[in-house]
Amino acid sequence: MGNFPLFAHPGCPEDDFKKCRYVGADRAIPRTNGSATARPGYFAVRLNNSVHAEMTATAHASLFRFSFPPDAEVPYTYPASSNEDVPQSVPNSPLILMDLVDLGNSRSGGDIKVNMATGRMEGGGGFRPSFGHGSYKAYFCADFQGAEIRRTGTFLRANATDGTQALGSTYGTTRLSQGSAGTWVQFAQTPQNQILARVGVSFISASRACQNAEREIGDFDFGRVVTAAEVAWRDKLSVIKADHAGLDVDLLKTFWSGVYRTMLSPQNWYV
């Protein structure tokens, strides 16, 4: 539903977390042409910041696998104000952020926090649907594996700090206005060049989102989750039998993509 985007930087200029990009428009980075791979239960794309992002999902949680180069210095093309890319390199020290903003920038209020010791992020807010009337509340819980934590913090629009670990009226700060606001974790260089990020979601509470993630992806096993997702999608799509003989491939892609998308909208509110 366009909530709770994660973004992975391979490092920050001069190893200064304040010089990483936090606002959605600022952190936007092109993808490598031809790198996107998509099928039910799996998506992958390589970004021009040297990060290869893969993702899969269960009913109430998602699992991301971010891969980074093994070098101590990582190439990173930052967008410049002149709209021309400026090649740079950054120290290999991944920073992953969670933004409370949604695709429609409809969030109202909200709270978010990060645990300095474990890196766990929890939060939520109120949102408007992309179609229809009214509003809804949604919550998330994110955990990470793969590298040691160096520092954690929060950001409000373009301003990041490691002195505050929570945002929102629940935690004694002002009510969050619309726009980018969230938490971040910076890691040491990864021993296996990968960081896994598990994100549970819920319409009830952040603690329920944590329970959903722990129950459905307790092992952080990316391959297992992909296989289980593929099996689940085959079962869902098997109710339709189609004769493909003589049909254009592009038409078939459109048809099956449409069938797939009819099953994406959440149907179980009490999770």
Side-chain angles (χ1 to χ4, degrees):
M1 296 177 69
N3 307 92
F4 313 129
L6 280 178
F7 188 84
H9 291 282
C12 302
E14 301 175 20
D15 201 27
D16 183 351
F17 70 87
K18 294 181 180 180
K19 294 185 178 180
C20 267
R21 306 294 180 94
Y22 293 88
V23 177
D26 294 340
R27 68 178 184 250
I29 200 82
R31 68 186 182 196
T32 303
N33 290 337
S35 68
T37 301
R39 62 180 186 268
Y42 177 83
F43 180 78
V45 65
R46 182 174 296 279
L47 303 177
N48 283 1
N49 64 357
S50 302
V51 177
H52 184 237
E54 302 170 273
M55 52 209 78
T56 185
T58 57
H60 312 105
S62 56
L63 188 61
F64 300 79
R65 183 165 63 188
F66 297 111
S67 298
F68 305 91
D71 311 294
E73 290 284 327
V74 179
Y76 194 150
T77 301
Y78 279 95
S81 57
S82 62
N83 294 322
E84 296 180 359
D85 289 341
V86 180
Q88 297 186 29
S89 63
V90 296
N92 193 331
S93 181
L95 184 146
I96 300 179
L97 64 88
M98 171 66 77
D99 198 337
L100 280 181
V101 75
D102 62 318
L103 283 177
N105 195 25
S106 72
R107 177 181 55 78
S108 59
D111 301 283
I112 191 168
K113 66 179 181 179
V114 58
N115 185 298
M116 296 176 65
T118 67
R120 168 170 280 190
M121 301 174 180
E122 299 177 62
F127 304 91
R128 293 193 303 270
S130 58
F131 56 91
H133 299 283
S135 62
Y136 67 94
K137 291 184 178 181
Y139 305 89
F140 82 93
C141 176
D143 295 290
F144 305 92
Q145 277 191 5
E148 294 184 2
I149 295 172
R150 290 183 61 196
R151 54 176 75 97
T152 62
T154 58
F155 65 93
L156 189 57
R157 290 176 286 279
N159 299 315
T161 177
D162 60 356
T164 301
Q165 307 298 316
L167 296 173
S169 56
T170 298
Y171 306 115
T173 66
T174 58
R175 180 180 173 86
L176 295 178
S177 59
Q178 285 185 303
S180 288
T183 48
W184 55 268
V185 178
Q186 188 170 25
F187 300 89
Q189 183 172 353
T190 61
Q192 302 299 321
N193 305 318
Q194 290 182 340
I195 292 176
L196 292 166
R198 180 187 67 190
V199 183
V201 293
S202 171
F203 292 115
I204 296 176
S205 66
S207 61
R208 181 66 66 90
C210 294
Q211 294 170 16
N212 290 339
E214 291 165 353
R215 181 181 66 253
E216 297 181 3
I217 315 180
D219 55 5
F220 278 79
D221 188 331
F222 192 88
R224 180 194 64 78
V225 178
V226 170
T227 299
E230 290 173 342
V231 170
W233 274 112
R234 285 195 185 96
D235 179 62
K236 287 290 185 181
L237 297 173
S238 67
V239 298
I240 296 176
K241 305 297 182 183
D243 182 0
H244 294 170
L247 294 180
D248 182 78
V249 172
D250 288 337
L251 177 62
L252 290 173
K253 287 181 179 179
T254 300
F255 172 76
W256 284 111
S257 295
V259 174
Y260 166 78
R261 288 186 174 90
T262 65
M263 305 178 188
L264 289 179
S265 181
Q267 302 296 315
N268 184 359
W269 189 266
Y270 299 100
V271 294

